[in-house]
Amino acid sequence: MTTRRLTTAQALVAFLARQYTERDGRRHRLIGATWGIFGHGNVAGVGQALLEAHEDMPYLQGRNEQAMVHAAVGHARQSRRLSAQAVTTSIGPGATNLVTGAALATINHLPVLLLPGDTFATRPADPVLQQLEVPYAGDVSVNDCLRPVSRWFDRIVRPEALVPAALQAVRVLTDPAQTGAVTLALPQDVQAEAYDWPEEFFAERTWQIRRPRPDAEALAQAAAAVRSARRPLLVAGGGVHHSEAEEALRAFADATGIPVASTQAGKGSLPYDHPCDIGGIGHTGTATADDLARTADLVIGVGTRWSDFTTASSTLFRHETVRFVNLNITAFDAHKMAGLSVVADARASLEELTAALGDHRVDAGHRARYTSAKAAWEERVTAAFTAHDPDAAPTQAQVLGALDALVTGDDILINAAGSLPGDLHKLWRSRSADQYHVEYGYSCMGYEIPAAIGVAMAAPGRPVWALVGDGTYLMNPTEIVTAVQEGVPIRMVILQNHGYASIGGLSESVGAERYGTAYRHRAADGSFTGPPLPVDLAANAESLGMRVIRARSVRDLREALAEARAADVPTCVYVETGTADTVSGPPGAQAWWDVPVAETATRPSAVKAREEYDRQAAARRRHL
Ligand SMILES: Cc1ncc(C[n+]2csc(CCOP(=O)(O)OP(=O)(O)O)c2C)c(N)n1
Ligand SMILES: [Mg+2]
């Protein structure tokens, strides 16, 4: 047997550089680059290996471990999960900084390979710097925090264990039902240890991304259910995008006339101007979609996890005999809502369902109803987007309106948390399948800027916009430096409203009186009701190397956005949209969201909110 003598870290990097994915005849490098921040837990092992292999495995320098995972996740989503990135960290704090990013990746079913350094396997000195010691077990390290948020976790305590572990890691990364964060914890001594590796370990390997076809019987039952429904509705989730099923969905909608609503992850599955597209569904949905959901007798979920935002916390689907059909590659999700489950690839099952339905079409009355509701909602979008006074400061919706007037299907918008996801889900007119990139599985503040870098790397030449609230900006602005270093011309819009408009509004609705949600000085009575804080986020972004344009009015904003769009360096448009305790999003929520309210309280606001809560909660329904 021919062998090659390498360290464990060198072998891992050489192995990763030779893994490929293939789907629909297209081949991609699985791990195209490795992000890293070095410390004593990885500098001499993985760091040295990346240096030796720099031509085969590009290294990207991040500023914060969580942010590196966000960048990798953005990249994976933009690549339709056919390509991923690795993230290497030191031990201790560098490793535990991965936890939030790992949870985000796993929840969103997006692949990322995490390579945290780990404490010595051989333990010559115990403890080493940053080592956790617990009194009940000798084999626990901080990296065990990554187990519950990883789809696959292994600790490589001997060099030769890397061979099966690395193969399992890639199997999970490339499995469309299982993928998410995959962790290989690498004790720092083992990383640097040499071993004679079988040469075959480094052979090029191509992993077919499977498209399992639906079971014939399950599909026949699904087709029968659709045929007998009078008021069917389709809910498109993120699985439509992951599977590149947009064309198949369009063909299904064209043939059947069944209206298509979308979750946050599924928005853009149909372009907004397709006659069957009725926009977002659920708590942040459109009136069109939510009204149809309330009266639907059959709901076809495609690639959705049925989160509480989608089901309005189990209150949305109200038809007495409503049934669900779930097309999902993950059996776990396909069985939700007591649905008829079709466990298969979204594209394959949509194609087969369309064929099985032949010339079946929903009746004209159903079509007429959603067509006029869709037109009425479009008018509300236009009203929210339109600024009548170009010299006034824009509202948040008018900022979206200015973007709407500027962008083409080429532009990609990224957001994850705050009041923007709700406004975007309700209002945004998605022109292309991948334009709408809102991470709402984890809704993690601070995803936007690093994700924009990952997305821009996966979509060179396309304008990529990170839309960030001021709270979100303050959570995680540091990857701006990375965009500047790499010359990735991300566009960023900072919407300054001096605090948390989203949680402020929520707080008020649940009787918590906006407590702790505005960024204000303390007043004389100790409460945070003084003037807004004198922070200058535009100057902050500029200090990190961005080009910054301040927009004070709607007119300024239009010019600034156009300038940013044309820029070839990272560019920020900064705009004030009011204060977090005064702004309110247009239009209001069309369906409920369950956030439990104090059952007993002395303050009248909470007592009143609880009455409303009990009224809404009475509409909860378990679909069995
Ligand atoms: C990491 C993280 N911490 C906390 C939250 C809870 N949270 C959701 S939105 C929000 C406030 C966002 O503020 P900002 O970005 O200014 O947006 P705005 O609400 O003002 O639109 C908070 C704290 C979260 N989603 N993510
Ligand atoms: Mg804010």
Side-chain angles (χ1 to χ4, degrees), residues 81 107-109 176 234-243 245 249 261-267 269 300-307 310 325-330 333-334 336 342-347 349-350:
R81 312 195 299 185
I107 286 174
N108 286 287
H109 292 289
L234 188 144
V235 177
V240 173
H241 292 310
H242 296 331
S243 157
L249 178 62
S262 48
T263 69
Q264 285 279 10
K267 199 167 149 79
S269 292
I300 309 158
V302 186
T304 172
R305 303 191 303 136
W306 292 117
S307 85
T310 305
V325 169
N326 293 319
L327 314 183
N328 206 301
I329 198 159
T330 307
D333 293 317
K336 290 177 179 170
V342 180
V343 182
D345 173 63
R347 192 173 89 183
S349 41
L350 277 168

Side-chain angles (χ1 to χ4, degrees), residues 396 419 469-472 495-502 519 580:
Q396 180 161 295
S419 54
D470 55 312
T472 294
L495 294 104
Q496 169 65 282
N497 58 20
H498 303 277
Y500 305 160
S502 52
Y519 290 159

Side-chain angles (χ1 to χ4, degrees), residues 117-453:
D118 211 330
T119 46
F120 283 66
T122 53
R123 306 192 205 163
D126 227 7
V128 294
L129 176 68
Q130 301 170 324
Q131 179 172 338
L132 174 76
E133 292 181 291
V134 290
Y136 57 86
D139 63 349
V140 169
S141 88
V142 294
N143 287 358
D144 289 284
C145 290
L146 288 160
R147 286 179 189 268
V149 289
S150 296
R151 289 288 183 165
W152 172 259
F153 178 99
D154 206 348
R155 181 177 281 126
I156 314 302
V157 293
R158 292 188 52 81
E160 58 268 45
L162 177 68
V163 173
L167 289 165
Q168 285 295 349
V170 174
R171 177 189 65 77
V172 175
L173 284 170
T174 57
D175 184 318
Q178 290 194 27
T179 196
V182 167
T183 302
L184 294 180
L186 303 169
Q188 58 187 114
D189 48 351
V190 181
Q191 287 177 41
E193 204 175 318
Y195 181 74
D196 295 309
W197 305 89
E199 194 58 47
E200 294 93 317
F201 185 50
F202 306 113
E204 242 178 59
R205 247 166 252 266
T206 302
W207 301 74
Q208 289 295 329
I209 309 282
R210 62 198 170 92
R211 283 195 183 279
R213 317 288 313 180
D215 174 75
E217 184 53 34
L219 193 92
Q221 288 180 20
V226 176
R227 276 179 193 285
S228 61
R230 295 188 52 80
R231 307 177 62 83
L233 166 71
L234 188 144
V235 177
V240 173
H241 292 310
H242 296 331
S243 157
E244 297 180 281
E246 295 91 353
E247 279 309 309
L249 178 62
R250 183 198 286 260
F252 174 89
D254 286 345
T256 62
I258 292 176
V260 175
S262 48
T263 69
Q264 285 279 10
K267 199 167 149 79
S269 292
L270 286 182
Y272 80 100
D273 53 358
H274 187 283
C276 291
D277 183 74
I278 54 168
I281 188 170
H283 178 62
T284 51
T286 67
T288 323
D290 287 351
D291 287 347
L292 278 160
R294 288 188 183 97
T295 54
D297 57 355
L298 182 79
V299 186
I300 309 158
V302 186
T304 172
R305 303 191 303 136
W306 292 117
S307 85
D308 63 344
F309 263 71
T310 305
T311 66
S313 301
S314 305
T315 63
L316 190 58
F317 301 103
R318 297 188 177 180
H319 189 283
E320 210 180 332
T321 61
V322 62
R323 290 176 60 203
F324 294 81
V325 169
N326 293 319
L327 314 183
N328 206 301
I329 198 159
T330 307
F332 186 87
D333 293 317
H335 284 82
K336 290 177 179 170
M337 313 293 272
L340 173 67
S341 71
V342 180
V343 182
D345 173 63
R347 192 173 89 183
S349 41
L350 277 168
E351 283 167 359
E352 292 200 17
L353 188 56
T354 308
L357 288 169
D359 58 4
H360 174 76
R361 201 163 163 74
V362 290
D363 74 56
H366 192 39
R367 290 206 309 274
R369 185 158 175 256
Y370 71 73
T371 303
S372 62
K374 176 177 161 72
W377 186 262
E378 270 305 304
E379 280 173 28
R380 292 177 73 176
V381 174
T382 303
F385 277 180
T386 307
H388 295 291
D389 179 2
D391 295 314
T395 64
Q396 180 161 295
Q398 289 165 2
V399 175
L400 299 182
L403 274 166
D404 175 74
L406 178 71
V407 302
T408 70
D410 242 15
D411 297 56
I412 301 168
L413 270 56
I414 300 175
N415 181 251
S419 54
L420 276 165
D423 287 3
L424 286 162
H425 199 211
K426 282 195 198 81
L427 304 175
W428 187 256
R429 294 167 170 155
S430 299
R431 292 156 170 77
S432 59
D434 60 3
Q435 169 158 85
Y436 188 88
H437 184 133
V438 174
E439 185 285 297
Y440 216 62
Y442 210 38
S443 185
C444 185
M445 289 166 79
Y447 172 77
E448 296 83 352
I449 297 169
I453 298 172

